[in-house]
Amino acid sequence: MPNILPSALRDAVDLAEADLDWIHQLVADWQLIADLSTSDLVLWVRTRAGRFIAAGHTRPSGGTTVHLEDVIGRRMPASREAMAMESLSTAQIQDAAEPYWTGTAAVQEEYIPVVHAGTPIAVVTRETSVGVIRGGRIVEREMEEIAEVLCRMTAAGDFPIQGAGTTIRHGTPRVADGVLRLDEDGRIVYVSPNGRSCFHRLGIEGELEGIQLAEAVTSIIPARTPVDETLAVVLMGRQAWLTEVEVGGVFLSVRSIPLSLDGHRSGAALLVRDVTEVRRREQVLLNKDATIREVHHRVKNNLQTVSALLRMQARRASNEETRQALSEAERRVTTIATVHDALSHNVNERVDFDDVFSSILRMAAVVASPTGQVSTSLEGSFGVVDADTAQALATVLAELVTNAVEHGLDGRDGRVTVKVRREEDRLEVHVIDNGSGVAPDTLMTGLGTRIVATLVRGELRGSIDWQSLDTGGTDVVIHARLNQRAARNEL
């Protein structure tokens, strides 16, 4: 994998922000050159002290590396600096006359100037083990030729290609997946074995060399099939872009890299990958996510129906105690439905509890105090919590806020404040009211407080304590432990 040393770039001579950005773009895409030529690439920048220091390094992903050790941060040996300086000053590729010996292998070096806006800003060495067989395979001359063209484009300031739509996506093709070389007319002049297999699976039969790829692909796409609008220019090699083609359930991801020599088009290189299985799995996950969202949506609807039935039944009840019990049951069901509503809008079984609790806080205060004016506020942030924690926490806090309004304030005007402090998987919550306080002999006598205590100790793996304030009112303190995975994802 490519790596880079930012401190070396900062110490480099005369590198403007635009030059640094160009280097970062190169490092983001130079794996292509390393894999095509089975070579190590090392980026060298010249420091203010006049020495060259290795600021970046990538190894071929499909072959044996030249450097087993990490070279980033090392100075270039003095014996090699003259060649690097010549490449940097002349903006020309320089080939070392003789291989150098690493102790285990002979390595051929090529010094490639990195040119931006007509000015050389760094040097890349392409270091290749001498021999026909490298990395356990016979290196194909056609793939090395593509790498050589890209090196010459780097020295001419034409690579990396500006405006290339090659945003990395799951399934983006690599050299090992399949390589094609097109001429200026979009005809295939070379295709690797894996690339040939990809297009055969798509439905193109026979030999591929010599055919115009865009015509061959479009001829097998069924009529009235939606296609990516960039497909033609990618398959012709005229645009540096990433596209996808699907025929008969087979999906190919295709990336085009237009090639140029001396300012003139020289065809293109295409990378291709069969992503059929990748897209099939993505579709399965999408279907699963949609199913989960639909389940939460239906549960929310069903709970709202139950809530409405309980509300109707409470209105018809002749006994005040029965009416109150049904109203409390309706409120609890509505609280749970609120959490399911939030879960129905995402796919990861986690919710931003601040949004959920804001509506629960307002609803609990209004329902519990139909006559008095009660103000509510939330200080701090719960953050993102998992579904199970959200259900338990919502129920607990709704009960505590309702209890504070009904019994603490007892129909009077007042204030309920919820204060939150979260540290990784630990949560501390205070529910504070400015009411009359709590009598010790009334704790744990009602259904609500028993529900709260059970959920805190069981589902939230914590503790709860009621404290009377000297200024009047009650402070209910909850200490809870969140799900470890949800806490890590939040951070």
Side-chain angles (χ1 to χ4, degrees):
M1 295 295 294
N3 206 347
I4 196 165
L5 183 65
S7 61
L9 295 180
R10 288 194 299 268
D11 293 338
V13 175
D14 297 331
L15 285 185
E17 285 298 322
D19 296 332
L20 293 174
D21 182 65
W22 186 263
I23 288 175
H24 281 286
Q25 290 182 57
L26 173 66
V27 170
D29 214 16
W30 68 348
Q31 189 67 49
L32 178 63
I33 301 174
D35 291 345
L36 284 167
S37 58
T38 317
S39 305
D40 281 48
L41 301 182
V42 182
L43 172 71
W44 302 91
V45 293
R46 192 161 179 256
T47 67
R48 292 181 175 84
R51 300 297 303 273
F52 284 92
I53 187 171
H57 176 211
T58 189
R59 299 179 176 90
S61 56
T64 303
T65 180
V66 170
H67 298 288
L68 297 175
E69 73 287 354
D70 187 10
V71 301
I72 294 180
R74 293 188 180 183
R75 288 182 177 179
M76 179 180 286
S79 59
R80 297 161 59 191
E81 285 190 327
M83 187 77 72
M85 194 63 210
E86 184 175 356
S87 177
L88 189 65
S89 60
T90 63
Q92 298 293 322
I93 296 176
Q94 305 292 328
D95 290 313
E98 298 291 336
Y100 74 88
W101 181 252
T102 64
T104 57
V107 176
Q108 186 67 45
E109 265 192 319
E110 185 178 41
Y111 294 78
I112 306 157
V114 179
V115 175
H116 176 232
T119 302
I121 58 175
V123 174
V124 169
T125 55
R126 183 163 63 127
E127 305 179 29
T128 311
S129 297
V130 175
V132 177
I133 299 180
R134 297 197 296 273
R137 68 175 177 84
I138 298 177
V139 179
E140 298 183 55
R141 181 59 194 165
E142 293 86 351
M143 295 178 73
E144 285 202 345
E145 286 178 353
I146 298 173
E148 289 169 2
V149 172
L150 291 174
C151 289
R152 292 174 65 178
M153 290 173 62
T154 302
D158 297 328
F159 187 83
I161 299 173
Q162 292 300 286
T166 55
T167 302
I168 297 302
R169 180 189 176 194
H170 188 40
T172 299
R174 302 157 299 182
V175 169
D177 299 317
V179 179
L180 292 82
R181 175 79 182 270
L182 307 181
D183 64 15
E184 293 85 344
D185 298 321
R187 297 186 180 278
I188 300 175
V189 295
Y190 164 76
V191 56
S192 70
N194 285 347
R196 180 178 289 107
S197 297
C198 286
F199 283 102
H200 282 170
R201 283 193 290 271
L202 190 68
I204 299 177
E205 300 178 351
E207 291 297 324
L208 298 181
E209 285 83 352
I211 68 170
Q212 190 180 63
L213 183 61
E215 290 183 359
V217 171
T218 54
S219 68
I220 63 173
I221 297 177
R224 294 185 294 278
T225 299
V227 297
D228 192 326
E229 60 184 10
T230 62
L231 180 63
V233 291
V234 170
L235 296 180
M236 288 291 292
R238 295 183 180 276
Q239 182 69 44
W241 212 259
L242 181 68
T243 190
E244 201 165 279
V245 57
E246 183 266 333
V247 177
V250 176
F251 291 81
L252 296 187
S253 177
V254 185
R255 179 189 172 189
S256 172
I257 304 100
L259 304 178
S260 63
L261 287 174
D262 302 322
H264 302 288
R265 286 188 65 248
S266 181
L270 299 187
L271 303 183
V272 59
R273 180 180 181 184
D274 185 344
V275 293
T276 303
E277 187 62 20
V278 173
R279 297 295 172 256
R280 188 190 71 81
R281 291 177 181 176
E282 287 179 350
Q283 189 60 50
V284 169
L285 289 175
L286 287 174
N287 292 339
K288 178 183 176 182
D289 293 339
T291 301
I292 291 173
R293 287 197 299 268
E294 180 62 21
V295 167
H296 283 302
H297 181 70
R298 293 191 180 191
V299 169
K300 183 259 297 184
N301 288 344
N302 290 338
L303 289 173
Q304 287 179 337
T305 301
V306 172
S307 178
L309 292 174
L310 288 171
R311 184 165 56 253
M312 292 172 60
Q313 191 66 40
R315 290 172 180 170
R316 295 174 60 88
S318 57
N319 182 282
E320 180 60 29
E321 185 178 350
T322 301
R323 184 162 44 247
Q324 183 177 353
L326 289 171
S327 296
E328 289 179 356
E330 183 226 331
R331 173 178 50 77
R332 290 166 183 145
V333 170
T334 302
T335 298
I336 297 172
T338 302
V339 176
H340 276 283
D341 184 35
L343 289 168
S344 69
H345 296 295
N346 62 54
V347 299
N348 54 12
E349 291 292 284
R350 296 163 59 233
V351 295
D352 185 340
F353 195 75
D354 294 324
D355 293 339
V356 173
F357 183 62
S358 294
S359 61
I360 291 176
L361 181 60
R362 291 190 300 270
M363 177 180 64
V366 170
V367 171
S369 180
T371 56
Q373 295 294 319
V374 177
S375 63
T376 60
S377 63
L378 172 63
E379 299 178 7
S381 174
F382 291 95
V384 175
V385 300
D386 66 285
D388 292 338
T389 300
Q391 292 282 18
L393 197 56
T395 302
V396 166
L397 294 176
E399 291 292 334
L400 292 177
V401 172
T402 302
N403 190 67
V405 175
E406 287 184 344
H407 303 291
L409 299 176
D410 194 18
R412 297 177 295 149
D413 294 350
R415 183 178 66 256
V416 177
T417 303
V418 179
K419 296 183 178 180
V420 187
R421 186 175 69 180
R422 177 172 176 177
E423 294 181 0
E424 298 183 357
D425 65 332
R426 297 184 181 275
L427 190 67
E428 180 181 315
V429 184
H430 294 255
V431 180
I432 305 169
D433 67 75
N434 62 345
S436 57
V438 60
D441 57 348
T442 62
L443 289 176
M444 304 303 295
T445 58
L447 177 60
T449 53
R450 288 200 294 271
I451 290 174
V452 166
T454 300
L455 289 175
V456 169
R457 291 167 186 155
E459 298 296 325
L460 301 179
R461 299 173 296 157
S463 63
I464 184 170
D465 184 33
W466 281 263
Q467 302 172 357
S468 294
L469 300 174
D470 295 337
T471 56
T474 306
D475 180 6
V476 185
V477 186
I478 301 171
H479 292 91
R481 294 285 299 276
L482 302 179
N483 180 283
Q484 290 280 2
R485 180 174 63 84
R488 285 195 297 270
N489 290 338
E490 162 70 3
L491 297 173

